[in-house]
Amino acid sequence: MENADCSLANRTLIWFNWLAALTMTSQKPALGFIFITVVLDILGIGLIIPILPRLVKSFEGGDATAASHVVGSLMALYSLMQFVCAPVLGSLSDRFGRRPIILTSLLGSGLDYFLLAFAPNLGWFFLGRIISGVTGANITAATAYIADVSPPEKRAANFGLIGAAFGLGFIVGPVMGGWLGDFGLRVPFMVAGGLTLLNWLYGLLVLPESLGRENRRSFSWARSNPVGSLLDLRRHPVALGLAGTYFLINVAHQSLPGTWVLYTDYRFHWTAAQTGFSLTVVGIMAAIVQGGLTRIVVQRIGERKAAILGLIIGTIAFAVYGLATKGWMIYAMIIAGSIGGVMGPSIQGLISRSVGASEQGGVQGSLTSLASIAGIIGPPIATGLFGYFISSKAPVYLPGAAFFFSSALVFVAMLLALRSFRKLPGSTPATPQAATV
C-alpha cells in the first residue's frame, strides 16, 4: 500500500513537472489575467448562489427544512476541501511554478461545473463540491503569482485586486444567476463552466510563468498538509503574528454572510430584493476600495498605518451594524465602513514581505487554510449568537450580538497586529512609490 501511495505521489509530481515545462514562456507576467481569473472564479460562485438551494430543494421533493441541511453541508464541505488542499497547491506552485497549478485548477473547475449541471442526484453534488473545493483553492497560486510579480512595496496595493475581483464577481454573479435560472436551474452551471473553460484556454495561450527556477524549492508533504503549513509559520514570527490577525478578521467577517439576511429581515423587515440590493452595494464598494482606494491609501501612509486604519474602521463598522435602528443606517455604514477593507491587503502585503520568494506559495496556502477554517466555524457562531440573543432564553435582548462579537474580534486583531509590528525591522513603514500594474 505504501509503494502504491508513493507511486501515485510520484506520478502526480511528474504530471506537474511536465506541465510546468510545457507552459514556460518568456512573456511578461499578466496581472490582468490573474484578476480576470479571480473575477470568473467568484462570478461562477455568484451564478449558483441563487440557484443551488432551489436545485437541492427540488431533489428533496420541495422540503425546505431538508434542503437547508443539505445546502449547509455542501458549503461546509467546500470550505473543508479548501482548508485541506490550499497548502498542497501552494507548495506545488513553489516547486513547479504558479502557471501549471492555476491552469490545472481552472480546467478542473470548468469540468466540475458541467458535472453539476448534469448531476442526476445529490450524491453527485457532494462529489462536485469536493472537486470545487480542491480547484477553488487556486486562489493560493493566484495570490502567490501577484507576490512574485510585485515589488514588496506594491504588494498590498496589488493584493487589493483580489478583493476588487471578489467585489465584481458578487456584483454580477447573483444577478446573472437569477436571470439565467429563469431559463432552467441548470443553465447557470453550464454558463459558469463555459466561462471558466474559456479562461483556461486563454491562460494556456497567454499566461507566462512568474516564478523563476532559481526561486523554487522542493516539495514537502510535511509543509503541504494544513497543520504542517500552519506550524511552518513559526519560522517567521512576524508572519505568524499577522496570520493570527488575518484569521480573526476572517472569522469576524463571517457574521455578514452568516446573519445578514436573517438580521435585516428580523430587524428591518427587508424583502429579498432589498437584501439583494444591499449586497450589490457591498460588492460595488468592495470593488472601489480594494481595486483603487487601497493603492492610494498604502502609497500615502504605508502598509502598517493602512492596516491599523482599516482595523479601527472595521471595529466601529461592526458595532454600528449591531446598533442600527433604521435601514438607512446600514447603507451609510456599508459606504463608510467599506474603507476598512484596506486592512486585508495591507496585512497580506506585510506577511508576504516577511518571507522569501521561494515560500510565497506555501504562506499564501496557509492563509487560505486559515480563511477556510474561518468559513467553517464563523457562520455557526454568528447564527448561533443571533438566534440565542433574540430568544426568550437570552438574559438580554440583543439582535446585533453577532456583529458586536465581530467588532470585538477585529479589536483583538488590531492589538495582535500592533504587537507583531514591533518585530518588523525599522521604526517606520517603507514609503511606497507610485504603483503600476
Side-chain angles (χ1 to χ4, degrees), residues 14 105 130 215 233 282 311 395 427:
I14 290 171
S105 296
I130 291 173
N215 289 326
L233 289 175
V282 170
L311 289 164
S427 57

Side-chain angles (χ1 to χ4, degrees), residues 34 76 93 107 188 203 218 222 224 278 307 325 329 341 356 365 392 409:
I34 297 300
S93 75
L107 179 60
S218 60
S224 301
S278 71
T325 57
M329 296 179 183
S392 58
L409 284 181

